[in-house]
Amino acid sequence: MPDSLGPRLKVGVVVPSTNTSAQPELDALRPDGVTNHTGRMVIGDDPMVDEPGFGQVMHSIRLSTHPAIRSVTGCGPDCVIVGVSPESYWEGKDSHGRVLDSMREAAGGLPVTMSPDAINAALAAHDARRIAVITPYLPVGDDAVSRFFADSGYDLLSLHGLGIPSPARISHVSEAELRDAIKEIDTADVEAIVQVGTNVAMARVAAAAEFWLGKPVISNNVVLYWHALRRNGVTDRVRGFGSLLAEH
């Protein structure tokens, strides 16, 4: 017999314990018959203002990610979303495959979605290579994100870091700040705007921005969920959260 509330798909989600944005945003995206089951990577709200501080946050994430994945696999999910951004970009494009393999191993071989794969698939769906990127970070984090996209073959026209000093404070970014960041980095040459950082609550702003810009605006939580749904056979068109879920 299938799960009574999630007969179509059960999605395991792991996020840092400091993250208060990913869980409510992902829950808002659920089609009927799909359920989300969240585990927490236990980390401290350590400063990310310099490389040693960012490195400490990364160390905490690495120690706690596999236990968090194992905590959600007990409910028998069909796939796992790893909702943490820095680990995806910090050591560059060439390390991503190794990181993804380790996540799959921790998940017992289940399909795993991480930000780089989801964003690559979304940009391919939109046929976009010239991008602008919004991050929640200070320059130490921005540099890693910039290198990752450049090494992945994208033409990174601009990057705007919101300069948030610690993981928990990222959720305090307002919709007005996100609106202003989009306006700052958008130019006629930009084919798509990408936002990274799963503790940034940008789903609603991105959908609205697509309407008035007439181009894709890809928010991190929406793209992760879209990728997980589509990879696992759920093709429902979910309206109100942008073109990815509504049209692709």
Side-chain angles (χ1 to χ4, degrees):
M1 296 292 290
D3 187 279
S4 61
L5 296 180
R8 300 175 66 200
L9 190 72
K10 292 193 294 186
V11 183
V13 181
V14 295
V15 295
S17 54
T18 52
N19 187 317
T20 59
S21 299
Q23 185 171 352
E25 286 206 325
L26 296 183
D27 282 345
L29 305 177
R30 293 187 305 112
D32 186 55
V34 177
T35 53
N36 302 334
H37 309 278
T38 303
R40 296 276 168 173
M41 310 166 195
V42 179
I43 70 168
D45 190 30
D46 298 314
M48 303 187 301
V49 298
D50 53 23
E51 189 160 344
F54 211 103
Q56 178 58 44
V57 172
M58 292 295 302
H59 179 68
S60 298
I61 288 171
R62 286 169 178 153
L63 286 178
S64 58
T65 301
H66 286 191
I69 291 173
R70 289 192 289 269
S71 79
V72 299
T73 57
C75 73
D78 301 293
C79 62
V80 174
I81 292 173
V82 179
V84 61
S85 289
E87 178 71 300
S88 302
Y89 307 106
W90 190 244
E91 292 185 357
K93 174 179 177 291
D94 293 339
S95 72
H96 173 64
R98 296 192 299 274
V99 172
L100 183 60
D101 286 344
S102 75
M103 304 301 182
R104 288 187 186 128
E105 183 178 357
L110 292 173
V112 172
T113 289
M114 296 184 71
S115 294
D117 309 294
I119 291 170
N120 283 336
L123 291 172
H126 287 299
D127 193 26
R129 304 299 300 179
R130 298 167 64 82
I131 64 172
V133 174
I134 296 170
T135 88
Y137 311 124
L138 287 150
V140 63
D142 292 342
D143 290 346
V145 174
S146 179
R147 286 194 305 272
F148 185 93
F149 282 108
D151 290 347
S152 298
Y154 295 102
D155 189 356
L156 182 57
L157 301 185
S158 59
L159 184 145
H160 178 86
L162 296 166
I164 309 303
S166 75
R169 290 288 300 276
I170 292 171
S171 66
H172 298 188
V173 175
S174 69
E175 292 188 335
E177 289 175 284
L178 294 172
R179 176 203 62 204
D180 292 345
I182 292 169
K183 288 181 176 179
E184 179 175 325
I185 64 173
D186 181 52
T187 66
D189 293 335
V190 171
E191 296 173 337
I193 294 171
V194 177
Q195 172 260 316
V196 304
T198 59
N199 204 17
V200 178
M202 189 161 161
R204 294 196 312 173
V205 176
E210 285 194 336
F211 179 75
W212 44 264
L213 291 180
K215 65 182 65 175
V217 181
I218 298 168
S219 65
N220 205 154
N221 289 326
V222 171
V223 73
L224 281 168
Y225 206 68
W226 166 81
H227 193 250
L229 291 178
R230 298 302 185 253
R231 285 187 70 200
N232 291 281
V234 178
T235 59
D236 300 46
R237 298 310 193 229
V238 180
R239 309 265 173 205
F241 296 97
S243 59
L244 268 181
L245 278 169
E247 301 172 10
H248 295 275

